[in-house]
Amino acid sequence: LESSLLTQPWASVCFGESTFLAKACFRDTGYILLISDLSSVWYESADAEAVGQRSKELNKRLMVHVSSFLHRLCDLMRPLLAGRPDATTSFSCHRAAGGLSLHVKSEVSGLPFYWDFHCCPAPVEMVSRHLVRPLIRMSLALQCQVQELTSLLLQKDAEIEDYRESGAALSRDRLRTEPFQEETFQRNFMAEVRSGAS
């Protein structure tokens, strides 16, 4: 389950006034949920037996096979993780000492449907595998992309300057651009990032 979770994208989800990042993977054998507010990371991994036991406690009137229950739970979570929460399903979260509970309330065939995810702090290795390493890899990839684009812009400026020195002129003056200044660009960009973060 956790290896399958690695291929799932993070999604931004809101519970009341709080915003989280979340990802989940559901199978007939159980599920795993990972959720973070970028200060802490919590997770829950539950097998079919644990899901069956909890479903009996929370949904005494529902008599369905565990795999069907897991499919229904997946169907309820999918719109939330896709950024299109279903109006007929409500989600709420509660932070407790050392953990986070996510409460789901919906209905199945006219009967109420409840589920509670009981998440505990994720181990360091899991946080590293699902959050830290991918972010660092993406950051390095973006740095390489910026360096390549900067090099390309400087080459284009040199090419344009060569045309000008050869006597070429723009047919439309509105297309004129100023030479690219890497230091100015970096300074302005960092100023925007800081103002956005504050």
Side-chain angles (χ1 to χ4, degrees):
L1 270 174
E2 194 188 339
S3 60
S4 297
L5 186 66
L6 278 170
T7 65
Q8 299 299 312
W10 285 97
S12 179
V13 296
C14 292
F15 306 124
E17 299 295 314
S18 302
T19 301
F20 295 87
L21 290 175
K23 56 160 54 179
C25 184
F26 293 86
R27 294 284 186 271
D28 289 345
T29 54
Y31 69 78
I32 184 167
L33 170 72
L34 198 57
I35 187 166
S36 172
D37 61 359
L38 295 184
S39 292
S40 302
V41 182
W42 303 271
Y43 87 107
E44 183 185 36
S45 180
D47 60 18
E49 184 180 349
V51 171
Q53 182 61 40
R54 194 179 305 169
S55 67
K56 289 175 185 174
E57 296 169 3
L58 296 172
N59 302 278
K60 292 180 170 50
R61 296 168 62 191
L62 277 179
M63 307 299 284
V64 295
H65 192 270
V66 174
S67 62
S68 298
F69 193 93
L70 281 161
H71 279 287
R72 177 57 181 163
L73 197 54
C74 179
D75 288 341
L76 293 176
M77 291 294 290
R78 190 180 292 119
L80 177 74
L81 296 172
R84 300 183 301 274
D86 188 342
T88 62
T89 304
S90 68
F91 295 88
S92 59
C93 75
H94 174 70
R95 300 181 202 224
L100 180 137
S101 295
L102 176 60
H103 182 65
V104 184
K105 182 180 179 182
S106 188
E107 63 175 50
V108 177
S109 303
L111 293 174
F113 178 98
Y114 302 104
W115 187 254
D116 289 331
F117 293 96
H118 300 305
C119 303
C120 61
V124 173
E125 175 56 29
M126 179 181 274
V127 175
S128 177
R129 192 161 51 246
H130 289 273
L131 200 60
V132 178
R133 289 182 208 159
L135 283 173
I136 289 175
R137 281 197 295 267
M138 181 56 70
S139 177
L140 291 172
L142 289 173
Q143 285 178 28
C144 289
Q145 189 178 53
V146 167
Q147 289 171 357
E148 288 179 17
L149 289 172
T150 297
S151 177
L152 185 60
L153 279 171
L154 293 172
Q155 289 177 39
K156 289 290 184 186
D157 279 347
E159 183 180 342
I160 291 169
E161 185 59 30
D162 186 63
Y163 285 142
R164 284 180 184 158
E165 290 176 356
S166 301
L170 283 171
S171 59
R172 287 168 288 183
D173 200 58
R174 63 183 174 81
L175 295 176
R176 187 180 304 279
T177 58
E178 293 298 321
F180 178 69
Q181 301 290 333
E182 184 178 359
E183 288 185 11
T184 304
F185 172 80
Q186 293 283 6
R187 188 166 54 249
N188 292 341
F189 178 78
M190 291 309 296
E192 287 179 20
V193 169
R194 290 192 198 98
S195 64
S198 60

